[in-house]
Structure formats: C-alpha cells, structure tokens
Amino acid sequence: HIDRGAVNDISEIAFRTDGSNIFSMGLGNSSNIGDGTDFFIGTGSGGSGNVRFLINSSGKVGIGVTNPQLALHISGDIDLEDSAPFIRMKETGSNKDMQFKLQTNGRMSLLNDNATSEVFTVLQSGAVGIGTATPAETLDVQGNIKFLTRISGSVSSTGSFGTLVAD
C-alpha cells in the first residue's frame, strides 16, 4: 500500500541511479499530474519530471501528453514494424471496417470489409491505383470516373497536362 499523503502530494515509486531519479510511476494530483487518480510513468521525479505515459480516471491513455482527449492520444511519431503492419478502423454498429496496410512488397493499401477488397493502392514509385492493386500509370483507375468540372483536351490529345487516354 502506497499512500500519496497530503492532498498536494503525489504517490510514486522512483527508480534511481546514484541518487538521481531515472524513472518514476504513481498517481498524480491537480498541482502535479492529473487529479490524483491519474496513473503515470515518467522520467525524473513525479510531477516535476516528464510524463511519458498516463492513464486518466476516465481510462483514456496518453503517450507524451498529460491530458488525453480520446481513448488513445499520442504526441509524437509512431513506428509500426512487422512483416505487413496495418491499422484497422472498425465501426461497431454495422461491423464495417477499413484498414491501411503496408504490404510485403512495399505498397500501401486501403482495404475494406475485413480486408476482402483492396480499394486504394500507392506503390513505392508513387503510382496510385483506385480499384487496382497494380497501377500501370501515375493514376490508374479501374471503373467509372465522375467529374464535376471540365477536363481540357480531347480523348487522344496531348499537351502540357500530359496524355488523356480512353480505352
């Protein structure tokens, strides 16, 4: 049992080397970290140190932030490393999902419905495919395209805008 003591104190465990606080973890209060119910891990000594990880009383997690606004709030870059890393976003009501996935050949894919269809692709070369995983041009669209504004040129003309080809 660790008690934070006075209202303005924090309850912490500090891991030290040669008398210097290296890492600390515990519960913070409003004058230091959170409202006294926020669990933190940081460097330095408690509230006067740097919070690296925090879980607030609402269950929101902050990495590099002391006031997480969403379920997971991160300040800084994220590195996902795996043979084919992905981020999935799932809507709970209709059980629909989309995921961004870095494929093993290096292409970035946007997949839908439990990864059944690759709907958008970007190759390492910068070529973009909509409806195809293997774009053959800078922009390769498989399917119909609707434009609300005008495309200049004719079906077989070339000009400063490049080539417009219709199959």
Side-chain angles (χ1 to χ4, degrees):
H1 174 74
I2 299 174
D3 190 342
R4 71 182 184 136
V7 174
N8 292 329
D9 289 342
I10 59 169
S11 174
E12 74 174 323
I13 298 172
F15 301 90
R16 303 169 188 230
T17 303
D18 296 330
S20 300
N21 289 340
I22 303 300
F23 285 98
S24 59
M25 63 185 214
L27 297 175
N29 66 35
S30 58
S31 65
N32 289 304
I33 301 167
D35 61 3
T37 58
D38 294 352
F39 174 78
F40 69 89
I41 298 175
T43 55
S45 177
S48 63
N50 295 309
V51 174
R52 305 298 185 193
F53 175 86
L54 180 131
I55 303 173
N56 70 16
S57 58
S58 299
K60 295 176 181 172
V61 176
I63 299 175
V65 296
T66 58
N67 187 21
Q69 300 299 305
L70 299 170
L72 177 61
H73 186 161
I74 299 172
S75 176
D77 297 331
I78 300 171
D79 185 1
L80 299 176
E81 190 171 327
D82 195 17
S83 61
F86 68 92
I87 297 174
R88 182 177 73 174
M89 293 158 276
K90 187 170 187 171
E91 194 281 314
T92 57
S94 64
N95 202 29
K96 296 288 183 181
D97 68 77
M98 298 287 279
Q99 64 179 260
F100 284 102
K101 183 174 186 178
L102 182 62
Q103 303 288 353
T104 55
N105 65 358
R107 78 179 188 275
M108 177 60 75
S109 302
L110 177 62
L111 303 123
N112 70 355
D113 293 330
N114 298 309
T116 56
S117 299
E118 190 166 345
V119 295
F120 186 84
T121 302
V122 180
L123 301 181
Q124 290 287 322
S125 66
V128 174
I130 300 174
T132 178
T134 56
E137 301 292 336
T138 304
L139 176 61
D140 190 340
V141 179
Q142 300 295 313
N144 296 330
I145 302 172
K146 179 179 180 180
F147 291 96
L148 297 178
T149 58
R150 188 173 70 98
I151 297 177
S152 56
S154 66
V155 171
S156 60
S157 70
T158 60
S160 62
F161 57 85
T163 305
L164 179 61
V165 178
D167 292 331

